[in-house]
Each structure stands twice: as structure tokens, then as C-alpha cells.
Amino acid sequence: LAKTTQPISMDSYEGQEVNITCSHNNIATNDYITWYQQFPSQGPRFIIQGYKTKVTNEVASLFIPADRKSSTLSLPRVSLSDTAVYYCLVGEGNQGGKLIFGQGTELSVKP
Amino acid sequence: EAGVAQSPRYKIIEKRQSVAFWCNPISGHATLYWYQQILGQGPKLLIQFQNNGVVDDSQLPKDRFSAERLKGVDSTLKIQPAKLEDSAVYLCASSRGYSNQPQHFGDGTRLSIL
């Protein structure tokens, strides 16, 4: 099982760009990298998923280097509402989508 | 599309009692997951269904927990008898397919054991 390591907490200010890096040294060839966001009293919400290089959607970008041993979630111009826990997961593509959640990164955005 | 529905939202029981949670996944989603999330931790997968068959239940405490997914749609998770350490949020999620598909989560059932 591919284990992920990410910072336990991060602080930022409104309007800044936030980059959260995740390490996954033993990622398998057919594993995808997925990020989820979780607010208190809610279930996790899918943010973005990628396999290699760069993926961008309307809320975030995901940067994955060639060796795929790490990935960086980039949140442009964060606001107070981005305060949440962010989880990096590596999916076991050959075993039916089983995902192992780590402890996540608690992002606090200040005014 | 409607999201994943879970009920009840909250449940308080005494230890050794039984409890059941219900989940209605997004229409058309073949894969359904139950997670346990203890305060301050990430969700832990308990069981995964593909249609009405179990794909993975390796982390389900089978002496007290059971789950079923009748007709490959709704699912129930039961705990009998409950222990104090079962206090947690129980999350249900669903996805379209079997692998590398984004999961859509419900808001969970918060269980408190007295």
C-alpha cells in the first residue's frame, strides 16, 4: 500500500497562493493521486486527481514530477472559506480504488 | 445530481446496544464505501462494495460490525454490540466505477457511545 506523508498543519493569509506537498515514495505504476478537502461536520469532497505532470481545474492545480514520488496541491488566492483539512491519497488502481487516508493537512487561512 | 444521502445524522446509544446506519448512494454509482472517522484522524475504510458484492472488508471488525447492500443500491451498516471505542463519524461514499474514480461522500452519521 502506498503511504502518503504531508504536513500536519499550514497557515496562510487571504489572497495568497498555498502549496501543500505530499510525499508518496512507493507509489505504484498504475496509481493515481487524488486530493480531497474536508470541512468540519462534512464528508470529504473531491478536489482534483492526476497521474503525471500538471492538472488544473476551476479550484486547484496539481503538480506531479516525473518520478511521481511527490505531488503538490496548489490553491490560488485562498479565502477564509478554504480553511479545511486537505487529504492526499494514492489510489490502488489494480485493487479497485481502495484509498488510504492519512492524517491530512489542516490549513488555516487568516484575514 | 443528488448527493450521497445518509441517516440518521446523529445517534447516541449506550454501550452494548445495537445501531444501524443507512446510505443511499448517487444514482448509477456501482461502488459503495463505508468509512469510520475518529475525531482528529482521516477516514478509515471499513468495507467496499461493487454492486452488491463485497470487494474489501479487511478492516471491518466482523465480530460486531456487519454491512449489506441489497440489490446493489442502498446500504446499511450495523454495529452490535457497540463499544465505547466505536464513537466516531461513519461516512458513506460512492463512485461510478471500480478503480481510480473520485469518491463522493455523504456528511456522515455521528455516533456517540455512552
Side-chain angles (χ1 to χ4, degrees):
Chain A
L1 300 178
K3 181 180 177 181
T4 61
T5 303
Q6 52 184 122
I8 293 176
S9 64
M10 293 181 67
D11 291 331
S12 182
Y13 291 93
E14 281 191 295
Q16 289 187 332
E17 178 184 73
V18 171
N19 295 309
I20 306 175
T21 297
C22 178
S23 298
H24 27 80
N25 291 321
N26 57 341
I27 187 170
T29 301
N30 56 348
D31 283 347
Y32 278 68
I33 300 155
T34 311
W35 286 79
Y36 286 82
Q37 174 192 55
Q38 187 175 27
F39 298 111
S41 301
Q42 295 185 22
R45 185 180 71 169
F46 170 81
I47 302 175
I48 197 166
Q49 184 181 68
Y51 184 80
K52 62 180 179 181
T53 62
K54 176 184 175 182
V55 179
T56 298
N57 62 22
E58 62 276 9
V59 298
S61 295
L62 179 60
F63 298 92
I64 305 169
D67 65 6
R68 303 200 327 121
K69 293 184 182 299
S70 66
S71 59
T72 299
L73 174 72
S74 180
L75 304 172
R77 298 179 298 281
V78 294
S79 64
L80 296 176
S81 62
D82 292 316
T83 295
V85 178
Y86 293 82
Y87 293 99
C88 162
L89 297 94
V90 173
E92 296 184 294
N94 63 345
Q95 292 189 24
K98 179 176 179 177
L99 295 178
I100 309 296
F101 282 81
Q103 197 162 4
T105 297
E106 187 170 3
L107 173 65
S108 178
V109 180
K110 303 174 183 178
Chain B
E1 61 182 3
V4 175
Q6 290 190 248
S7 67
R9 192 78 172 88
Y10 304 93
K11 190 72 177 179
I12 301 174
I13 63 172
E14 295 184 347
K15 60 183 179 182
R16 291 188 290 274
Q17 286 188 326
S18 63
V19 64
F21 314 122
W22 174 81
C23 173
N24 185 20
I26 293 173
S27 178
H29 280 195
T31 310
L32 185 147
Y33 312 78
W34 282 102
Y35 290 86
Q36 178 193 59
Q37 185 171 26
I38 293 173
L39 187 64
Q41 299 181 17
K44 182 182 84 170
L45 180 67
L46 293 176
I47 189 167
Q48 177 183 347
F49 292 93
Q50 179 70 10
N51 297 310
N52 59 353
V54 175
V55 174
D56 184 348
D57 63 357
S58 58
Q59 298 194 92
L60 186 73
K62 298 180 186 62
D63 58 335
R64 298 184 299 106
F65 286 64
S66 64
E68 60 182 7
R69 188 182 185 195
L70 300 176
K71 301 180 181 179
V73 182
D74 292 8
S75 178
T76 56
L77 176 69
K78 297 179 182 179
I79 307 175
Q80 182 179 13
K83 292 185 175 181
L84 292 176
E85 59 261 34
D86 298 332
S87 292
V89 175
Y90 291 85
L91 295 161
C92 178
S94 69
S95 64
R96 287 189 183 279
Y98 189 60
S99 61
N100 292 318
Q101 295 287 321
Q103 297 184 23
H104 300 261
F105 285 80
D107 286 336
T109 297
R110 181 176 298 276
L111 175 66
S112 297
I113 312 294
L114 303 178

mmCIF file of all heavy atoms in Angstrom, chain A residues 47-97:
data_model
loop_
_atom_site.group_PDB
_atom_site.id
_atom_site.type_symbol
_atom_site.label_atom_id
_atom_site.label_comp_id
_atom_site.label_asym_id
_atom_site.label_seq_id
_atom_site.Cartn_x
_atom_site.Cartn_y
_atom_site.Cartn_z
ATOM 1 N N ILE A 47 -11.305 17.179 -4.805
ATOM 2 C CA ILE A 47 -10.784 18.425 -5.373
ATOM 3 C C ILE A 47 -10.206 18.189 -6.760
ATOM 4 O O ILE A 47 -10.594 18.831 -7.732
ATOM 5 C CB ILE A 47 -9.669 19.031 -4.497
ATOM 6 C CG1 ILE A 47 -10.153 19.313 -3.084
ATOM 7 C CG2 ILE A 47 -9.159 20.323 -5.139
ATOM 8 C CD1 ILE A 47 -9.025 19.787 -2.175
ATOM 9 N N ILE A 48 -9.240 17.262 -6.840
ATOM 10 C CA ILE A 48 -8.517 17.096 -8.088
ATOM 11 C C ILE A 48 -7.825 15.744 -8.094
ATOM 12 O O ILE A 48 -7.519 15.191 -7.026
ATOM 13 C CB ILE A 48 -7.496 18.248 -8.270
ATOM 14 C CG1 ILE A 48 -7.021 18.362 -9.719
ATOM 15 C CG2 ILE A 48 -6.322 18.106 -7.304
ATOM 16 C CD1 ILE A 48 -6.282 19.673 -9.999
ATOM 17 N N GLN A 49 -7.585 15.226 -9.277
ATOM 18 C CA GLN A 49 -6.907 13.950 -9.428
ATOM 19 C C GLN A 49 -5.966 14.015 -10.622
ATOM 20 O O GLN A 49 -6.295 14.659 -11.637
ATOM 21 C CB GLN A 49 -7.921 12.827 -9.644
ATOM 22 C CG GLN A 49 -7.330 11.421 -9.729
ATOM 23 C CD GLN A 49 -8.401 10.364 -9.972
ATOM 24 O OE1 GLN A 49 -9.012 10.301 -11.037
ATOM 25 N NE2 GLN A 49 -8.636 9.532 -8.969
ATOM 26 N N GLY A 50 -4.796 13.359 -10.499
ATOM 27 C CA GLY A 50 -3.867 13.360 -11.610
ATOM 28 C C GLY A 50 -2.984 12.134 -11.610
ATOM 29 O O GLY A 50 -2.902 11.404 -10.609
ATOM 30 N N TYR A 51 -2.308 11.919 -12.732
ATOM 31 C CA TYR A 51 -1.382 10.792 -12.853
ATOM 32 C C TYR A 51 0.065 11.294 -13.018
ATOM 33 O O TYR A 51 0.973 10.764 -12.391
ATOM 34 C CB TYR A 51 -1.764 9.911 -14.025
ATOM 35 C CG TYR A 51 -0.906 8.679 -14.159
ATOM 36 C CD1 TYR A 51 -1.137 7.565 -13.361
ATOM 37 C CD2 TYR A 51 0.155 8.637 -15.062
ATOM 38 C CE1 TYR A 51 -0.338 6.437 -13.450
ATOM 39 C CE2 TYR A 51 0.956 7.511 -15.158
ATOM 40 C CZ TYR A 51 0.706 6.420 -14.355
ATOM 41 O OH TYR A 51 1.513 5.308 -14.445
ATOM 42 N N LYS A 52 0.241 12.278 -13.860
ATOM 43 C CA LYS A 52 1.584 12.839 -14.044
ATOM 44 C C LYS A 52 1.480 14.274 -14.548
ATOM 45 O O LYS A 52 0.400 14.744 -14.916
ATOM 46 C CB LYS A 52 2.394 11.998 -15.016
ATOM 47 C CG LYS A 52 1.806 11.924 -16.416
ATOM 48 C CD LYS A 52 2.684 11.064 -17.322
ATOM 49 C CE LYS A 52 2.084 10.970 -18.716
ATOM 50 N NZ LYS A 52 2.926 10.113 -19.622
ATOM 51 N N THR A 53 2.576 14.962 -14.524
ATOM 52 C CA THR A 53 2.759 16.361 -14.942
ATOM 53 C C THR A 53 1.820 17.290 -14.193
ATOM 54 O O THR A 53 1.889 17.393 -12.994
ATOM 55 C CB THR A 53 2.606 16.503 -16.467
ATOM 56 O OG1 THR A 53 1.293 16.123 -16.875
ATOM 57 C CG2 THR A 53 3.636 15.647 -17.174
ATOM 58 N N LYS A 54 0.950 17.990 -14.905
ATOM 59 C CA LYS A 54 0.122 19.016 -14.267
ATOM 60 C C LYS A 54 -1.335 18.859 -14.660
ATOM 61 O O LYS A 54 -1.656 18.589 -15.813
ATOM 62 C CB LYS A 54 0.629 20.406 -14.665
ATOM 63 C CG LYS A 54 -0.206 21.559 -14.129
ATOM 64 C CD LYS A 54 0.307 22.892 -14.641
ATOM 65 C CE LYS A 54 -0.598 24.038 -14.208
ATOM 66 N NZ LYS A 54 -0.126 25.351 -14.737
ATOM 67 N N VAL A 55 -2.187 19.015 -13.656
ATOM 68 C CA VAL A 55 -3.622 19.012 -13.888
ATOM 69 C C VAL A 55 -4.194 20.276 -13.271
ATOM 70 O O VAL A 55 -3.790 20.667 -12.167
ATOM 71 C CB VAL A 55 -4.293 17.771 -13.253
ATOM 72 C CG1 VAL A 55 -5.792 17.799 -13.487
ATOM 73 C CG2 VAL A 55 -3.685 16.497 -13.800
ATOM 74 N N THR A 56 -5.101 20.914 -13.962
ATOM 75 C CA THR A 56 -5.717 22.141 -13.449
ATOM 76 C C THR A 56 -7.223 22.070 -13.639
ATOM 77 O O THR A 56 -7.701 21.633 -14.682
ATOM 78 C CB THR A 56 -5.161 23.378 -14.166
ATOM 79 O OG1 THR A 56 -3.758 23.473 -13.909
ATOM 80 C CG2 THR A 56 -5.817 24.648 -13.656
ATOM 81 N N ASN A 57 -7.954 22.488 -12.607
ATOM 82 C CA ASN A 57 -9.399 22.650 -12.757
ATOM 83 C C ASN A 57 -9.790 24.014 -12.198
ATOM 84 O O ASN A 57 -8.925 24.864 -11.962
ATOM 85 C CB ASN A 57 -10.172 21.503 -12.106
ATOM 86 C CG ASN A 57 -9.947 21.391 -10.614
ATOM 87 O OD1 ASN A 57 -9.560 22.355 -9.951
ATOM 88 N ND2 ASN A 57 -10.185 20.194 -10.083
ATOM 89 N N GLU A 58 -11.049 24.232 -11.982
ATOM 90 C CA GLU A 58 -11.510 25.563 -11.613
ATOM 91 C C GLU A 58 -11.134 25.951 -10.185
ATOM 92 O O GLU A 58 -11.229 27.122 -9.821
ATOM 93 C CB GLU A 58 -13.030 25.665 -11.793
ATOM 94 C CG GLU A 58 -13.836 24.726 -10.929
ATOM 95 C CD GLU A 58 -13.980 23.340 -11.533
ATOM 96 O OE1 GLU A 58 -13.309 23.057 -12.553
ATOM 97 O OE2 GLU A 58 -14.769 22.542 -10.998
ATOM 98 N N VAL A 59 -10.705 25.018 -9.362
ATOM 99 C CA VAL A 59 -10.404 25.357 -7.971
ATOM 100 C C VAL A 59 -8.941 25.143 -7.588
ATOM 101 O O VAL A 59 -8.467 25.742 -6.617
ATOM 102 C CB VAL A 59 -11.293 24.559 -6.996
ATOM 103 C CG1 VAL A 59 -12.755 24.907 -7.223
ATOM 104 C CG2 VAL A 59 -11.055 23.076 -7.121
ATOM 105 N N ALA A 60 -8.210 24.310 -8.308
ATOM 106 C CA ALA A 60 -6.853 23.980 -7.880
ATOM 107 C C ALA A 60 -6.017 23.469 -9.043
ATOM 108 O O ALA A 60 -6.534 23.176 -10.125
ATOM 109 C CB ALA A 60 -6.901 22.915 -6.781
ATOM 110 N N SER A 61 -4.710 23.385 -8.781
ATOM 111 C CA SER A 61 -3.778 22.743 -9.708
ATOM 112 C C SER A 61 -3.029 21.658 -8.959
ATOM 113 O O SER A 61 -2.807 21.765 -7.743
ATOM 114 C CB SER A 61 -2.790 23.758 -10.283
ATOM 115 O OG SER A 61 -3.446 24.715 -11.081
ATOM 116 N N LEU A 62 -2.649 20.649 -9.677
ATOM 117 C CA LEU A 62 -1.895 19.535 -9.114
ATOM 118 C C LEU A 62 -0.641 19.349 -9.942
ATOM 119 O O LEU A 62 -0.730 19.145 -11.166
ATOM 120 C CB LEU A 62 -2.742 18.266 -9.113
ATOM 121 C CG LEU A 62 -2.096 16.985 -8.583
ATOM 122 C CD1 LEU A 62 -1.661 17.166 -7.124
ATOM 123 C CD2 LEU A 62 -3.061 15.809 -8.694
ATOM 124 N N PHE A 63 0.501 19.433 -9.265
ATOM 125 C CA PHE A 63 1.785 19.284 -9.931
ATOM 126 C C PHE A 63 2.407 17.959 -9.501
ATOM 127 O O PHE A 63 2.556 17.698 -8.302
ATOM 128 C CB PHE A 63 2.718 20.436 -9.570
ATOM 129 C CG PHE A 63 2.193 21.780 -9.998
ATOM 130 C CD1 PHE A 63 1.425 22.545 -9.139
ATOM 131 C CD2 PHE A 63 2.467 22.272 -11.263
ATOM 132 C CE1 PHE A 63 0.932 23.782 -9.521
ATOM 133 C CE2 PHE A 63 1.988 23.514 -11.659
ATOM 134 C CZ PHE A 63 1.226 24.271 -10.781
ATOM 135 N N ILE A 64 2.794 17.161 -10.485
ATOM 136 C CA ILE A 64 3.380 15.847 -10.220
ATOM 137 C C ILE A 64 4.681 15.744 -11.001
ATOM 138 O O ILE A 64 4.669 15.808 -12.233
ATOM 139 C CB ILE A 64 2.417 14.717 -10.643
ATOM 140 C CG1 ILE A 64 1.055 14.903 -9.962
ATOM 141 C CG2 ILE A 64 3.011 13.353 -10.291
ATOM 142 C CD1 ILE A 64 -0.026 14.008 -10.521
ATOM 143 N N PRO A 65 5.840 15.595 -10.310
ATOM 144 C CA PRO A 65 7.114 15.483 -11.024
ATOM 145 C C PRO A 65 7.223 14.156 -11.750
ATOM 146 O O PRO A 65 6.403 13.256 -11.546
ATOM 147 C CB PRO A 65 8.137 15.589 -9.886
ATOM 148 C CG PRO A 65 7.417 15.088 -8.680
ATOM 149 C CD PRO A 65 5.986 15.515 -8.858
ATOM 150 N N ALA A 66 8.248 14.047 -12.568
ATOM 151 C CA ALA A 66 8.407 12.867 -13.413
ATOM 152 C C ALA A 66 8.525 11.565 -12.612
ATOM 153 O O ALA A 66 8.003 10.529 -13.033
ATOM 154 C CB ALA A 66 9.626 13.037 -14.307
ATOM 155 N N ASP A 67 9.174 11.613 -11.448
ATOM 156 C CA ASP A 67 9.330 10.375 -10.681
ATOM 157 C C ASP A 67 8.077 10.016 -9.885
ATOM 158 O O ASP A 67 7.989 8.927 -9.309
ATOM 159 C CB ASP A 67 10.545 10.448 -9.756
ATOM 160 C CG ASP A 67 10.397 11.495 -8.664
ATOM 161 O OD1 ASP A 67 9.316 12.102 -8.532
ATOM 162 O OD2 ASP A 67 11.371 11.717 -7.932
ATOM 163 N N ARG A 68 7.119 10.911 -9.826
ATOM 164 C CA ARG A 68 5.815 10.711 -9.177
ATOM 165 C C ARG A 68 5.917 10.358 -7.697
ATOM 166 O O ARG A 68 4.960 9.877 -7.097
ATOM 167 C CB ARG A 68 5.009 9.629 -9.907
ATOM 168 C CG ARG A 68 4.793 9.909 -11.356
ATOM 169 C CD ARG A 68 3.658 9.187 -12.027
ATOM 170 N NE ARG A 68 3.386 7.866 -11.524
ATOM 171 C CZ ARG A 68 2.210 7.496 -11.016
ATOM 172 N NH1 ARG A 68 1.223 8.352 -10.926
ATOM 173 N NH2 ARG A 68 2.027 6.255 -10.605
ATOM 174 N N LYS A 69 7.046 10.631 -7.075
ATOM 175 C CA LYS A 69 7.208 10.294 -5.654
ATOM 176 C C LYS A 69 6.661 11.375 -4.736
ATOM 177 O O LYS A 69 6.687 11.250 -3.503
ATOM 178 C CB LYS A 69 8.684 10.012 -5.348
ATOM 179 C CG LYS A 69 9.209 8.759 -6.037
ATOM 180 C CD LYS A 69 10.627 8.463 -5.624
ATOM 181 C CE LYS A 69 11.164 7.239 -6.349
ATOM 182 N NZ LYS A 69 10.375 6.020 -6.046
ATOM 183 N N SER A 70 6.201 12.458 -5.321
ATOM 184 C CA SER A 70 5.564 13.503 -4.538
ATOM 185 C C SER A 70 4.551 14.213 -5.433
ATOM 186 O O SER A 70 4.522 14.004 -6.657
ATOM 187 C CB SER A 70 6.588 14.511 -4.015
ATOM 188 O OG SER A 70 7.159 15.223 -5.091
ATOM 189 N N SER A 71 3.738 15.033 -4.819
ATOM 190 C CA SER A 71 2.808 15.862 -5.587
ATOM 191 C C SER A 71 2.518 17.118 -4.775
ATOM 192 O O SER A 71 2.688 17.128 -3.545
ATOM 193 C CB SER A 71 1.509 15.110 -5.886
ATOM 194 O OG SER A 71 0.856 14.707 -4.700
ATOM 195 N N THR A 72 2.127 18.170 -5.466
ATOM 196 C CA THR A 72 1.842 19.438 -4.801
ATOM 197 C C THR A 72 0.484 19.951 -5.234
ATOM 198 O O THR A 72 0.221 20.119 -6.427
ATOM 199 C CB THR A 72 2.913 20.492 -5.128
ATOM 200 O OG1 THR A 72 4.183 20.022 -4.659
ATOM 201 C CG2 THR A 72 2.590 21.818 -4.450
ATOM 202 N N LEU A 73 -0.364 20.161 -4.252
ATOM 203 C CA LEU A 73 -1.662 20.787 -4.484
ATOM 204 C C LEU A 73 -1.478 22.296 -4.368
ATOM 205 O O LEU A 73 -0.955 22.778 -3.360
ATOM 206 C CB LEU A 73 -2.686 20.305 -3.462
ATOM 207 C CG LEU A 73 -4.051 21.002 -3.508
ATOM 208 C CD1 LEU A 73 -4.824 20.546 -4.745
ATOM 209 C CD2 LEU A 73 -4.847 20.715 -2.247
ATOM 210 N N SER A 74 -1.904 23.036 -5.372
ATOM 211 C CA SER A 74 -1.774 24.487 -5.354
ATOM 212 C C SER A 74 -3.159 25.125 -5.356
ATOM 213 O O SER A 74 -3.970 24.856 -6.246
ATOM 214 C CB SER A 74 -0.965 24.963 -6.566
ATOM 215 O OG SER A 74 -0.838 26.372 -6.551
ATOM 216 N N LEU A 75 -3.402 25.942 -4.341
ATOM 217 C CA LEU A 75 -4.674 26.663 -4.232
ATOM 218 C C LEU A 75 -4.396 28.143 -4.485
ATOM 219 O O LEU A 75 -3.715 28.790 -3.679
ATOM 220 C CB LEU A 75 -5.287 26.466 -2.839
ATOM 221 C CG LEU A 75 -5.509 25.030 -2.394
ATOM 222 C CD1 LEU A 75 -5.939 24.993 -0.930
ATOM 223 C CD2 LEU A 75 -6.556 24.361 -3.262
ATOM 224 N N PRO A 76 -4.885 28.696 -5.577
ATOM 225 C CA PRO A 76 -4.591 30.097 -5.890
ATOM 226 C C PRO A 76 -5.465 31.046 -5.077
ATOM 227 O O PRO A 76 -6.654 30.809 -4.915
ATOM 228 C CB PRO A 76 -4.920 30.183 -7.377
ATOM 229 C CG PRO A 76 -5.980 29.153 -7.574
ATOM 230 C CD PRO A 76 -5.686 28.032 -6.601
ATOM 231 N N ARG A 77 -4.894 32.078 -4.554
ATOM 232 C CA ARG A 77 -5.639 33.152 -3.890
ATOM 233 C C ARG A 77 -6.686 32.613 -2.918
ATOM 234 O O ARG A 77 -7.902 32.719 -3.134
ATOM 235 C CB ARG A 77 -6.312 34.053 -4.929
ATOM 236 C CG ARG A 77 -5.334 34.758 -5.850
ATOM 237 C CD ARG A 77 -6.057 35.622 -6.876
ATOM 238 N NE ARG A 77 -6.917 34.849 -7.748
ATOM 239 C CZ ARG A 77 -6.509 34.144 -8.775
ATOM 240 N NH1 ARG A 77 -5.203 34.099 -9.060
ATOM 241 N NH2 ARG A 77 -7.355 33.477 -9.517
ATOM 242 N N VAL A 78 -6.206 32.025 -1.838
ATOM 243 C CA VAL A 78 -7.120 31.401 -0.879
ATOM 244 C C VAL A 78 -7.972 32.445 -0.164
ATOM 245 O O VAL A 78 -7.587 33.603 -0.016
ATOM 246 C CB VAL A 78 -6.361 30.545 0.151
ATOM 247 C CG1 VAL A 78 -5.700 29.358 -0.536
ATOM 248 C CG2 VAL A 78 -5.349 31.380 0.928
ATOM 249 N N SER A 79 -9.117 31.984 0.286
ATOM 250 C CA SER A 79 -10.012 32.823 1.078
ATOM 251 C C SER A 79 -10.284 32.112 2.409
ATOM 252 O O SER A 79 -9.859 30.964 2.607
ATOM 253 C CB SER A 79 -11.333 33.061 0.342
ATOM 254 O OG SER A 79 -12.015 31.827 0.175
ATOM 255 N N LEU A 80 -10.971 32.793 3.303
ATOM 256 C CA LEU A 80 -11.265 32.211 4.612
ATOM 257 C C LEU A 80 -12.008 30.886 4.469
ATOM 258 O O LEU A 80 -11.831 29.965 5.283
ATOM 259 C CB LEU A 80 -12.102 33.184 5.452
ATOM 260 C CG LEU A 80 -11.434 34.506 5.824
ATOM 261 C CD1 LEU A 80 -12.421 35.394 6.576
ATOM 262 C CD2 LEU A 80 -10.190 34.278 6.647
ATOM 263 N N SER A 81 -12.814 30.765 3.441
ATOM 264 C CA SER A 81 -13.616 29.556 3.241
ATOM 265 C C SER A 81 -12.781 28.352 2.805
ATOM 266 O O SER A 81 -13.312 27.240 2.709
ATOM 267 C CB SER A 81 -14.712 29.811 2.202
ATOM 268 O OG SER A 81 -14.135 30.132 0.955
ATOM 269 N N ASP A 82 -11.515 28.560 2.523
ATOM 270 C CA ASP A 82 -10.624 27.446 2.181
ATOM 271 C C ASP A 82 -10.031 26.800 3.423
ATOM 272 O O ASP A 82 -9.292 25.814 3.315
ATOM 273 C CB ASP A 82 -9.502 27.921 1.253
ATOM 274 C CG ASP A 82 -10.011 28.321 -0.122
ATOM 275 O OD1 ASP A 82 -10.855 27.576 -0.668
ATOM 276 O OD2 ASP A 82 -9.579 29.375 -0.638
ATOM 277 N N THR A 83 -10.321 27.340 4.583
ATOM 278 C CA THR A 83 -9.882 26.727 5.832
ATOM 279 C C THR A 83 -10.536 25.358 5.976
ATOM 280 O O THR A 83 -11.765 25.249 6.028
ATOM 281 C CB THR A 83 -10.251 27.612 7.041
ATOM 282 O OG1 THR A 83 -9.517 28.828 6.964
ATOM 283 C CG2 THR A 83 -9.946 26.904 8.348
ATOM 284 N N ALA A 84 -9.708 24.317 5.995
ATOM 285 C CA ALA A 84 -10.218 22.946 5.966
ATOM 286 C C ALA A 84 -9.045 21.985 6.136
ATOM 287 O O ALA A 84 -7.896 22.403 6.242
ATOM 288 C CB ALA A 84 -10.931 22.661 4.637
ATOM 289 N N VAL A 85 -9.353 20.704 6.170
ATOM 290 C CA VAL A 85 -8.319 19.667 6.161
ATOM 291 C C VAL A 85 -8.209 19.125 4.742
ATOM 292 O O VAL A 85 -9.232 18.844 4.102
ATOM 293 C CB VAL A 85 -8.641 18.530 7.147
ATOM 294 C CG1 VAL A 85 -7.571 17.441 7.074
ATOM 295 C CG2 VAL A 85 -8.748 19.066 8.562
ATOM 296 N N TYR A 86 -6.983 18.994 4.250
ATOM 297 C CA TYR A 86 -6.738 18.522 2.900
ATOM 298 C C TYR A 86 -6.007 17.181 2.957
ATOM 299 O O TYR A 86 -4.981 17.044 3.615
ATOM 300 C CB TYR A 86 -5.919 19.548 2.115
ATOM 301 C CG TYR A 86 -6.700 20.812 1.867
ATOM 302 C CD1 TYR A 86 -6.791 21.789 2.854
ATOM 303 C CD2 TYR A 86 -7.381 21.005 0.671
ATOM 304 C CE1 TYR A 86 -7.538 22.943 2.642
ATOM 305 C CE2 TYR A 86 -8.124 22.150 0.447
ATOM 306 C CZ TYR A 86 -8.204 23.110 1.440
ATOM 307 O OH TYR A 86 -8.950 24.242 1.225
ATOM 308 N N TYR A 87 -6.567 16.205 2.258
ATOM 309 C CA TYR A 87 -6.009 14.858 2.251
ATOM 310 C C TYR A 87 -5.421 14.531 0.880
ATOM 311 O O TYR A 87 -6.060 14.759 -0.153
ATOM 312 C CB TYR A 87 -7.088 13.821 2.569
ATOM 313 C CG TYR A 87 -7.642 13.877 3.966
ATOM 314 C CD1 TYR A 87 -8.847 14.528 4.216
ATOM 315 C CD2 TYR A 87 -6.974 13.288 5.028
ATOM 316 C CE1 TYR A 87 -9.380 14.573 5.503
ATOM 317 C CE2 TYR A 87 -7.505 13.337 6.315
ATOM 318 C CZ TYR A 87 -8.701 13.984 6.534
ATOM 319 O OH TYR A 87 -9.213 14.033 7.811
ATOM 320 N N CYS A 88 -4.232 13.961 0.914
ATOM 321 C CA CYS A 88 -3.584 13.441 -0.286
ATOM 322 C C CYS A 88 -3.708 11.921 -0.250
ATOM 323 O O CYS A 88 -3.380 11.303 0.771
ATOM 324 C CB CYS A 88 -2.123 13.856 -0.287
ATOM 325 S SG CYS A 88 -1.051 12.929 -1.394
ATOM 326 N N LEU A 89 -4.187 11.335 -1.319
ATOM 327 C CA LEU A 89 -4.330 9.881 -1.366
ATOM 328 C C LEU A 89 -3.744 9.332 -2.640
ATOM 329 O O LEU A 89 -3.792 9.971 -3.685
ATOM 330 C CB LEU A 89 -5.799 9.478 -1.300
ATOM 331 C CG LEU A 89 -6.556 9.851 -0.044
ATOM 332 C CD1 LEU A 89 -7.265 11.177 -0.206
ATOM 333 C CD2 LEU A 89 -7.552 8.770 0.300
ATOM 334 N N VAL A 90 -3.206 8.127 -2.527
ATOM 335 C CA VAL A 90 -2.719 7.414 -3.695
ATOM 336 C C VAL A 90 -3.598 6.192 -3.883
ATOM 337 O O VAL A 90 -3.732 5.367 -2.988
ATOM 338 C CB VAL A 90 -1.248 7.004 -3.507
ATOM 339 C CG1 VAL A 90 -0.808 6.127 -4.658
ATOM 340 C CG2 VAL A 90 -0.376 8.232 -3.411
ATOM 341 N N GLY A 91 -4.217 6.108 -5.036
ATOM 342 C CA GLY A 91 -5.189 5.051 -5.301
ATOM 343 C C GLY A 91 -4.541 3.801 -5.827
ATOM 344 O O GLY A 91 -3.637 3.854 -6.662
ATOM 345 N N GLU A 92 -5.018 2.678 -5.326
ATOM 346 C CA GLU A 92 -4.519 1.386 -5.787
ATOM 347 C C GLU A 92 -5.323 0.966 -7.002
ATOM 348 O O GLU A 92 -6.319 0.269 -6.905
ATOM 349 C CB GLU A 92 -4.630 0.353 -4.673
ATOM 350 C CG GLU A 92 -3.748 0.691 -3.490
ATOM 351 C CD GLU A 92 -3.794 -0.377 -2.450
ATOM 352 O OE1 GLU A 92 -4.855 -0.552 -1.856
ATOM 353 O OE2 GLU A 92 -2.773 -1.033 -2.254
ATOM 354 N N GLY A 93 -4.860 1.398 -8.151
ATOM 355 C CA GLY A 93 -5.635 1.170 -9.356
ATOM 356 C C GLY A 93 -5.868 -0.280 -9.679
ATOM 357 O O GLY A 93 -6.846 -0.627 -10.318
ATOM 358 N N ASN A 94 -4.977 -1.143 -9.230
ATOM 359 C CA ASN A 94 -5.161 -2.550 -9.561
ATOM 360 C C ASN A 94 -5.930 -3.307 -8.494
ATOM 361 O O ASN A 94 -6.060 -4.502 -8.547
ATOM 362 C CB ASN A 94 -3.806 -3.223 -9.789
ATOM 363 C CG ASN A 94 -2.943 -3.202 -8.530
ATOM 364 O OD1 ASN A 94 -3.230 -2.458 -7.591
ATOM 365 N ND2 ASN A 94 -1.912 -4.008 -8.501
ATOM 366 N N GLN A 95 -6.439 -2.578 -7.497
ATOM 367 C CA GLN A 95 -7.198 -3.263 -6.452
ATOM 368 C C GLN A 95 -8.510 -2.560 -6.186
ATOM 369 O O GLN A 95 -9.008 -2.538 -5.088
ATOM 370 C CB GLN A 95 -6.379 -3.342 -5.160
ATOM 371 C CG GLN A 95 -5.178 -4.265 -5.291
ATOM 372 C CD GLN A 95 -4.490 -4.509 -3.966
ATOM 373 O OE1 GLN A 95 -5.108 -4.383 -2.916
ATOM 374 N NE2 GLN A 95 -3.221 -4.836 -4.002
ATOM 375 N N GLY A 96 -9.012 -1.942 -7.197
ATOM 376 C CA GLY A 96 -10.375 -1.472 -7.100
ATOM 377 C C GLY A 96 -10.579 -0.207 -6.313
ATOM 378 O O GLY A 96 -11.562 -0.085 -5.594
ATOM 379 N N GLY A 97 -9.679 0.760 -6.427
ATOM 380 C CA GLY A 97 -9.985 2.078 -5.890
ATOM 381 C C GLY A 97 -9.879 2.209 -4.393
ATOM 382 O O GLY A 97 -10.360 3.171 -3.819
#
